[in-house]
């Protein structure tokens, strides 16, 4: 549906909606807006669709949410016809699925690849967004949807001398689209977050020598990945509607894990141990964190789970000094992203693998021949940077986004991101952010969070068109109150006790603000629905009175 006022204002936008990004969010946005009869175009910086799953092709890249959950729910035909081979999908399988979705719903014709959006400016005279690409192409639209992802701007730390390195180097988040052979090579991996923990066991099997540079030890649990049987898949599919509905009522947007009923200290030490053992044996992170109600809110409860995993590390890693370095001691378990692995701790028992502590002796430079720390020099043929991302806000800050009166998003968010519901930010009308800061985003099943956000956004756009309203943006007070709520919610948990990319701590100079909403996906969704029921409470809609929060 075209907006009736647009032509009256003398400005005809090129399209109704511009979508930035063609990953899980961008593709569903295309599908959803087309259903409204709108003219849509998506710009994607990559040479292919898939977002995260296009860029993160490093060996061992795999999802840590069960495949049957980490997939679109909007089409029953789609979920019935697709067969996931593994419990936790490989990057290759997820990308294959994304391509299938794009073909099945004929999405490609509105996606422009190899197109990096450089700026997005709101033109108040015509109420439209003007999007300019790195190649200088300009397109106008009534609405701009940032489907730019939470982990899409990779970070290579600013080590002196990287340009002098004579070997090869790669970042996990920009992995080449060809096999990288480590056979017989001396490899250094810098970083031991989820990406490093997945690729280290695989590189160790190929490299002649593997040096792992660890600054902070992370907790990781066995994934226990396995092939899904046809029978298992079929049983799930017969009740897919039930599982999808159940996921909507859970804190992480993931079904199949009965909610815990007890606090950790309500159980005896023996019962706790038995529970943790069972979870460890079955694999997965959500199920482990679901052992007890209070693992993420009570330090004493959390200590019991953390100590259990520390014991597992010490009993797996044969060299006691290496084991002690691998044991996380500075944060509660789950307060940083809880990693899943296949044979991570066992890898340090291999004779060709060495762990180097870069907390006590930091990396001071990359040299022509390898890595130099404050204590030693390591000769390497290949360096892998598993050093993470400028998360959640990075991809947005990378675009020159200007709202009313030339206000830039970078200026507005200089002291931390400010949004209402993680969906919109005051002063930037008709600019929607998919899984933005202040929404559950990375603390939920991303596909579920993406669908929820885009359903809300599509409903909002349909409402505006039905009412003949041209703009929507948050009321500044509603935004402030939402940020306060996001902070209070985080402060009631153990998350702020960890230095992590959730708080921007991994990027020097980035404001320290806890960015995701951790009140639970189910509660968040209920709030979003309530806001709509209350006439878009807290939003300023042109031509309509604003309802206070
Ligand atoms: O990045 P990270 P990631 N000197 O930021 C180290 C998702 N994901 O790509 O902890 C030395 O977690 C840094 O050290 P420290 C998932 O949400 C999901 O691994 O800052 N070291 C850390 O060890 C995940 O959380 C999946 O002290 C430096 C590492 O680099 C998110 O992506 C798989 C350094 C970065 O870890 C990011 O994970 C992969 C420096 N200057 C990713 N700078 C699954 O679904 C950084 N480091 C399973």
């Amino acid at each position: 549906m075209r907006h009736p006022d647009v032509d009256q204002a003398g400005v005809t936008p090129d399209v109704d909606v511009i979508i930035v990004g063609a990953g899980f969010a961008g593709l569903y946005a295309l599908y959803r807006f087309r259903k409204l009869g709108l003219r849509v175009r998506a710009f994607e910086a990559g040479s292919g669709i898939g977002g995260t799953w296009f860029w993160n092709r490093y060996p061992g890249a795999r999802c840590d949410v069960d495949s049957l959950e980490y997939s679109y729910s909007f089409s029953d035909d789609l979920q019935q016809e697709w067969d996931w081979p593994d419990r936790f999908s490989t990057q290759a399988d997820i990308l294959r699925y994304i391509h299938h979705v794009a073909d099945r719903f004929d999405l490609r014709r509105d996606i422009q690849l190899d197109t990096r959006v450089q700026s997005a400016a709101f033109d108040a005279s015509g109420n439209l967004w003007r999007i300019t690409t790195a190649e200088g192409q300009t397109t106008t639209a009534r609405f701009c949807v940032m489907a730019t992802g939470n982990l899409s701007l990779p970070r290579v730390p600013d080590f002196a001398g990287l340009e002098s390195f004579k070997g090869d180097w790669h970042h996990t988040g920009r992995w080449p689209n060809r096999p990288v052979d480590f056979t017989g090579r001396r490899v250094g991996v810098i970083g031991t977050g989820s990406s490093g923990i997945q690729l280290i066991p695989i590189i160790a099997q190929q490299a002649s020598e593997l040096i792992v540079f660890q600054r902070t030890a992370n907790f990781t649990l066995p994934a226990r990945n396995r092939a899904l049987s046809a029978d298992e898949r079929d049983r799930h599919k017969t009740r897919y509607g039930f599982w999808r509905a159940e996921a909507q009522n859970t804190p992480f947007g993931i079904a199949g894990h009965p909610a815990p009923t007890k606090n950790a200290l309500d159980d005896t030490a023996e019962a706790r141990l038995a529970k943790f053992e069972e979870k460890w044996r079955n694999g997965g992170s959500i199920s482990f964190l679901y052992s007890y109600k209070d693992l993420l809110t009570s330090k004493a409860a959390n200590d019991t789970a953390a100590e259990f995993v520390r014991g597992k590390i010490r009993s797996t890693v044969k060299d006691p000094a290496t084991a002690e370095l691998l044991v996380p001691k500075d944060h509660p378990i789950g307060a940083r992203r809880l990693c899943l692995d296949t044979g991570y701790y066992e890898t340090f028992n291999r004779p060709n693998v060495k762990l180097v502590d870069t907390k006590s002796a930091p990396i001071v430079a990359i040299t022509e021949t390898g890595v130099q720390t404050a204590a030693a020099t390591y000769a390497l043929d290949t360096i892998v940077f598993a050093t993470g991302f400028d998360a959640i806000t990075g991809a947005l800050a990378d675009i020159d986004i200007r709202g009313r009166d030339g206000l830039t998003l970078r200026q507005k968010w200089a002291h931390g991101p400010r949004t209402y519901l993680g969906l919109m930010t005051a002063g930037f009308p008709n600019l929607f952010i998919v899984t933005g800061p202040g929404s559950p985003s990375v603390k939920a099943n991303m596909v579920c969070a993406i669908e929820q956000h885009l359903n809300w956004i599509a409903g909002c756009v349909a409402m505006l068109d039905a009412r003949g309203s041209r703009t929507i943006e948050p009321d500044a007070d509603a935004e402030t109150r939402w940020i306060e709520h996001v902070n209070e919610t985080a402060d009631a948990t153990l998350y702020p006790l960890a230095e992590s990319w959730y708080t921007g701590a991994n990027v020097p100079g980035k404001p320290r603000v806890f960015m995701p909403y951790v009140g639970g996906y189910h509660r968040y969704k209920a709030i979003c629905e309530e806001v709509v029921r209350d006439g878009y409470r807290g939003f300023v809609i042109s031509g309509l009175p604003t309802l206070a929060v």
Side-chain angles (χ1 to χ4, degrees):
M1 188 200 307
R2 293 282 307 286
H3 189 280
D5 288 352
V6 170
D7 289 335
Q8 283 166 31
V11 191
T12 306
D14 297 319
V15 291
D16 294 303
V17 188
I18 284 176
I19 299 161
V20 186
F24 264 107
L27 294 186
Y28 184 54
L30 255 179
Y31 172 84
R32 205 66 184 70
F33 289 117
R34 270 207 207 146
K35 283 251 168 207
L36 293 179
L38 299 175
R39 296 167 309 141
V40 193
R41 185 164 317 151
F43 293 128
E44 166 56 56
S47 60
I49 59 171
T52 285
W53 300 106
F54 171 83
W55 296 107
N56 287 268
R57 298 166 182 267
Y58 60 84
R62 205 180 265 283
C63 189
D64 58 1
V65 175
D66 287 78
S67 314
L68 291 158
E69 297 287 315
Y70 189 86
S71 48
Y72 290 118
S73 69
F74 69 84
S75 159
D76 191 47
D77 289 345
L78 171 65
Q79 63 192 11
Q80 293 300 331
E81 76 202 10
W82 186 260
D83 284 332
W84 292 107
D86 293 340
R87 176 182 179 188
F88 296 112
S89 294
T90 60
Q91 171 271 336
D93 281 337
I94 298 175
L95 194 57
R96 197 164 55 81
Y97 170 77
I98 288 172
H99 278 272
H100 170 74
V101 171
D103 290 333
R104 195 187 191 293
F105 297 99
D106 185 27
L107 301 178
R108 292 184 201 274
R109 65 186 154 89
D110 288 323
I111 303 172
Q112 192 174 315
L113 299 173
D114 292 309
T115 304
R116 182 167 290 281
V117 169
Q118 205 159 50
S119 65
F122 183 68
D123 176 348
S125 65
N127 284 325
L128 48 80
W129 280 92
R130 184 165 282 110
I131 309 295
T132 306
T133 70
E135 295 73 31
Q137 177 192 353
T138 295
T139 311
T140 53
R142 295 196 286 133
F143 300 97
C144 179
V145 175
M146 292 295 175
T148 39
N150 291 133
L151 295 156
S152 36
L153 191 69
R155 258 196 80 245
V156 176
D158 197 12
F159 293 129
L162 178 57
E163 66 296 339
S164 69
F165 181 56
K166 294 269 195 286
D168 311 318
W169 66 268
H170 307 287
H171 188 286
T172 52
R174 284 289 179 273
W175 202 259
N177 191 0
R178 58 173 166 80
V180 177
D181 188 10
F182 296 101
T183 311
R185 294 179 77 82
R186 296 165 303 171
V187 182
V189 174
I190 303 177
T192 52
S194 303
S195 306
I197 281 172
Q198 287 185 332
L199 63 74
I200 284 164
I202 294 177
I203 295 183
Q205 290 165 25
Q206 300 172 8
S208 60
E209 196 185 335
L210 172 61
I211 312 286
V212 175
F213 296 92
Q214 172 191 273
R215 188 165 65 180
T216 307
N218 274 311
F219 286 101
T220 170
L221 307 176
R224 313 274 184 222
N225 181 48
R226 56 183 170 73
L228 288 175
S229 69
D231 184 46
E232 209 172 344
R233 280 194 300 256
D234 289 348
R235 267 188 285 121
H236 196 91
K237 285 182 185 182
T238 56
R239 303 191 71 208
Y240 233 141
F242 168 83
W243 293 119
R244 296 297 195 191
E246 186 183 283
Q248 295 299 313
N249 294 318
T250 65
F252 299 109
I254 299 173
H257 303 288
T261 51
K262 277 188 182 174
N263 287 331
L265 299 182
D266 293 344
D267 257 345
T268 62
E270 293 72 32
R272 265 197 314 272
L273 187 63
K275 176 153 290 173
F276 291 144
E277 278 292 353
E278 182 202 331
K279 303 280 188 174
W280 179 268
R281 242 191 344 267
N282 293 338
S285 54
I286 298 297
S287 116
F288 189 85
L289 292 173
Y290 253 28
S291 299
Y292 293 103
K293 283 197 295 187
D294 56 348
L295 288 188
L296 291 172
T297 50
S298 153
K299 181 69 170 50
N302 189 282
D303 284 345
T304 65
E307 212 35 55
F308 170 82
V309 177
R310 291 184 187 119
K312 289 290 186 192
I313 301 169
R314 292 184 177 114
S315 64
T316 306
V317 180
K318 295 198 175 108
D319 172 49
T322 304
E324 256 348 271
L325 272 182
L326 287 167
V327 167
K329 301 185 181 87
D330 61 358
H331 62 277
I333 186 166
R336 294 176 131 219
R337 175 73 168 211
L338 183 53
C339 306
L340 283 190
D341 71 273
T342 301
Y344 180 66
Y345 294 120
E346 292 81 350
T347 297
F348 293 91
N349 294 331
R350 296 176 65 104
N352 65 332
V353 177
K354 181 178 165 60
L355 183 67
V356 170
D357 173 24
T358 65
K359 189 150 263 170
S360 59
I363 295 171
V364 288
I366 309 289
T367 66
E368 279 187 24
T369 56
V371 169
Q372 190 187 331
T373 71
T377 301
Y378 300 88
L380 301 168
D381 302 310
T382 305
I383 301 175
V384 173
F385 290 92
T387 44
F389 302 85
D390 183 347
I392 304 181
T393 54
L396 293 167
D398 205 38
I399 301 172
D400 182 9
I401 303 175
R402 288 169 193 257
R404 284 190 194 283
D405 307 319
L407 174 70
T408 70
L409 194 71
R410 287 179 199 142
Q411 274 165 358
K412 181 175 171 183
W413 289 8
H415 302 291
R418 297 182 59 78
T419 68
Y420 180 39
L421 301 171
L423 278 161
M424 298 193 88
T425 184
F428 296 78
N430 295 3
L431 178 81
F432 294 100
I433 306 166
V434 187
T435 65
S439 76
S441 61
V442 292
K443 295 312 301 169
N445 170 358
M446 283 304 294
V447 187
C448 180
I450 282 167
E451 286 188 328
Q452 184 264 334
H453 256 197
L454 284 161
N455 290 341
W456 192 98
I457 295 167
C460 175
V461 168
M463 174 278 296
L464 292 174
D465 281 355
R467 289 177 176 181
S469 299
R470 300 179 64 190
T471 61
I472 182 167
E473 67 183 289
D475 169 66
D477 289 341
E479 183 170 289
T480 299
R481 276 194 286 278
W482 179 251
I483 307 277
E484 284 165 5
H485 177 60
V486 170
N487 289 332
E488 281 160 12
T489 307
D491 287 344
T493 71
L494 302 178
Y495 286 109
L497 299 186
E499 298 268 288
S500 72
W501 57 260
Y502 298 149
T503 63
N506 66 324
V507 179
K510 190 166 173 172
R512 298 290 180 94
V513 174
F514 193 85
M515 293 183 279
Y517 176 66
V518 288
Y521 167 82
H522 56 330
R523 288 201 195 96
Y524 170 81
K525 180 170 178 267
I527 295 170
C528 289
E529 287 167 358
E530 200 181 277
V531 163
V532 171
R533 269 200 309 277
D534 288 353
Y536 287 85
R537 189 182 70 214
F539 284 98
V540 182
I541 299 174
S542 60
L544 288 180
T546 305
L547 297 173
V549 172

